[in-house]
Amino acid sequence: SATMVITYPPAKPLTIRIAYTAQRVRREMAAFGTRFVTIVDRTKDRTVMLFPDLKRYAIRPLDEDAHDTVKQLARNATLEKVGPDRLDGVETVKYRIAGRSPRGRAFTGFLWLTPQNIMIRMEGRTTANGKTRKLTIAMRDRRIRDPGGLREGRAEGEGRP
């Protein structure tokens, strides 16, 4: 598990709690005045999105690359392996990354991944509408353990649980 902190000034930092198992990833965050929980479940080939404050949920088919950071980023970016690096006490592989989001925002910077392709940090600059801003995504409070709470839901489809 870890806490992902996304810093994109002048906006306030966004904090996302993440828990990993071999087959599932759970992300919890609060934004726009509400809480969101996303569970990527490879055993069921689905993504479950929970909206606790709204008492709603949605189930979607699993994106085939949902568990692979490199494949996800490679859709809209090029990655160039720089080499092994030790970051925050973790053995990683450092990559140079450059790309453009589907909305047209350019990004250039660096990415550090564990040998299991778990992101430890990404930092660089993003450009949109002629303005360049610094972007940092850092995984903090990393713990290797079996995160409880990744239990299977009761219902299928969309609606109220």
Side-chain angles (χ1 to χ4, degrees):
S1 66
T3 302
M4 177 188 287
V5 179
I6 302 172
T7 308
Y8 190 54
K12 291 181 182 179
L14 176 63
T15 301
I16 303 170
R17 289 183 15 212
I18 301 175
Y20 290 91
T21 68
Q23 295 297 321
R24 294 184 183 98
V25 177
R26 178 184 176 110
R27 296 180 184 101
E28 298 180 35
M29 64 179 271
F32 312 111
T34 192
R35 292 179 301 149
F36 304 90
V37 178
T38 302
I39 301 171
V40 175
D41 187 343
R42 290 177 52 175
T43 64
K44 303 281 186 190
D45 289 326
R46 68 184 184 185
T47 299
V48 179
M49 294 167 285
L50 306 172
F51 309 95
D53 297 336
L54 303 173
K55 297 184 180 165
R56 297 244 180 227
Y57 70 96
I59 298 174
R60 301 278 186 252
L62 182 65
D63 178 338
E64 66 184 55
D65 297 332
H67 235 50
D68 192 323
T69 304
V70 173
K71 285 183 181 178
Q72 286 180 349
L73 291 169
R75 290 180 184 168
N76 298 309
T78 58
L79 297 175
E80 175 189 339
K81 188 175 182 177
V82 175
D85 196 6
R86 188 165 183 84
L87 185 68
D88 297 333
V90 177
E91 293 299 324
T92 66
V93 177
K94 183 177 180 179
Y95 293 88
R96 183 173 289 109
I97 181 171
R100 189 169 296 278
S101 76
R103 292 183 177 176
R105 292 183 177 167
F107 178 82
T108 58
F110 294 95
L111 170 70
W112 289 262
L113 299 175
T114 68
Q116 298 80 24
N117 285 340
I118 296 172
M119 182 175 55
I120 299 297
R121 185 175 183 86
M122 186 168 78
E123 60 185 37
R125 303 231 175 253
T126 182
T127 303
N129 301 322
K131 295 181 182 178
T132 300
R133 294 167 56 188
K134 183 178 178 179
L135 172 68
T136 304
I137 301 173
M139 297 295 252
R140 299 182 181 159
D141 307 320
R142 293 178 306 276
R143 292 183 300 279
I144 307 299
R145 62 179 176 81
D146 183 9
L150 295 182
R151 294 182 296 276
E152 188 173 322
R154 302 182 310 188
E156 295 289 329
E158 294 186 25
R160 295 178 184 261

